[in-house]
Amino acid sequence: EQAVATMARVDIRQGNPDTALARVEAAFPERSGDVERLAPDVLDPLWMRAALLKQAGQAQAADQLLQQHLAILAPEEVTDVPVRTGWSRFIALALVGEQDAALEELDRIAGSPYHHRWYDLQTYSFDPDYAAILGDPRFVAIFSRIRSRADRMREEYLGTE
C-alpha cells in the first residue's frame, strides 16, 4: 500500500493526477467500491482514491465516497480500546473539507492511549482540503500533544539510561 501511495504522490507532483488515480484503482480494485465491508484500519486506498478523484476534477465522486465512509463510522466513546474509527473519521472529515468537525474529532481522540499512525497524519497533504487543516493552529497544537505523548510512551518503553 505504501509503495503505491508513494508512486501516486510522485505522479501528483509531476502533474499527473489521472495516472495516480489509475495506479491506485488498479492496485486496489476490491477496495474502490463497497465501503461497508472495509475495516477502518485498511482504508488508506479509499482515502487516497478520494483525494485523487478530487485532483482529477471529480470532487462530487470523491465527496460521495467519503460521505459513505463517514456514514458507517459513527463516533465512538474514547476508552482504552483502540480508537481506529476516530482516526478514520478525522481523515475523512479533513478530506471532505469539514475542518472544524475534523479537528474536534482529532482533539477528542488525542487523549486516547492508541495513537494509530499519528506519524502519518500529513500523508494527504497534497489534497487542498486536507492541507488546510495541517496549517491550522488547532491542528498544530493537537499534533504537538499527540507527538509529545508518543515520545513519552517510547521513552517509557525503551527506558532511560
Side-chain angles (χ1 to χ4, degrees):
E1 289 180 12
Q2 291 295 41
V4 172
T6 299
M7 292 187 312
R9 283 192 292 277
V10 169
D11 291 332
I12 290 165
R13 279 194 293 274
Q14 293 176 345
N16 301 313
D18 293 329
T19 303
L21 179 59
R23 184 183 307 280
V24 168
E25 288 180 336
F28 305 106
E30 75 283 358
R31 295 183 181 179
S32 298
D34 187 8
V35 179
E36 293 180 16
R37 296 183 304 141
L38 301 178
D41 57 343
V42 294
L43 286 168
D44 283 340
L46 181 142
W47 298 324
M48 179 64 77
R49 181 171 184 251
L52 291 170
L53 282 167
K54 289 198 299 185
Q55 290 285 314
Q58 300 177 46
Q60 186 175 6
D63 284 348
Q64 182 178 3
L65 186 63
L66 291 165
Q67 291 299 338
Q68 285 177 310
H69 170 60
L70 286 166
I72 63 165
L73 286 178
E76 61 185 40
E77 293 297 318
V78 176
T79 64
D80 290 341
V81 178
V83 191
R84 288 184 217 142
T85 57
W87 293 99
S88 297
R89 283 182 54 76
F90 164 74
I91 293 169
L93 287 165
L95 287 169
V96 136
E98 295 184 23
Q99 190 164 340
D100 290 337
L103 290 169
E104 285 175 21
E105 186 70 26
L106 185 61
D107 189 47
R108 186 179 75 80
I109 61 173
S112 82
Y114 184 71
H115 295 121
H116 179 66
R117 295 177 57 183
W118 66 270
Y119 47 84
D120 259 351
L121 283 175
Q122 299 179 2
T123 298
Y124 303 99
S125 61
F126 66 87
D127 178 84
D129 291 320
Y130 197 92
I133 287 198
L134 300 180
D136 188 299
R138 295 172 294 173
F139 173 85
V140 173
I142 296 167
F143 184 79
S144 178
R145 279 190 0 239
I146 293 170
R147 186 173 183 165
S148 294
R149 186 160 189 216
D151 288 344
R152 282 192 309 275
M153 291 170 74
R154 184 175 45 255
E155 287 172 9
E156 288 173 14
Y157 177 75
L158 296 175
T160 55
E161 307 226 356

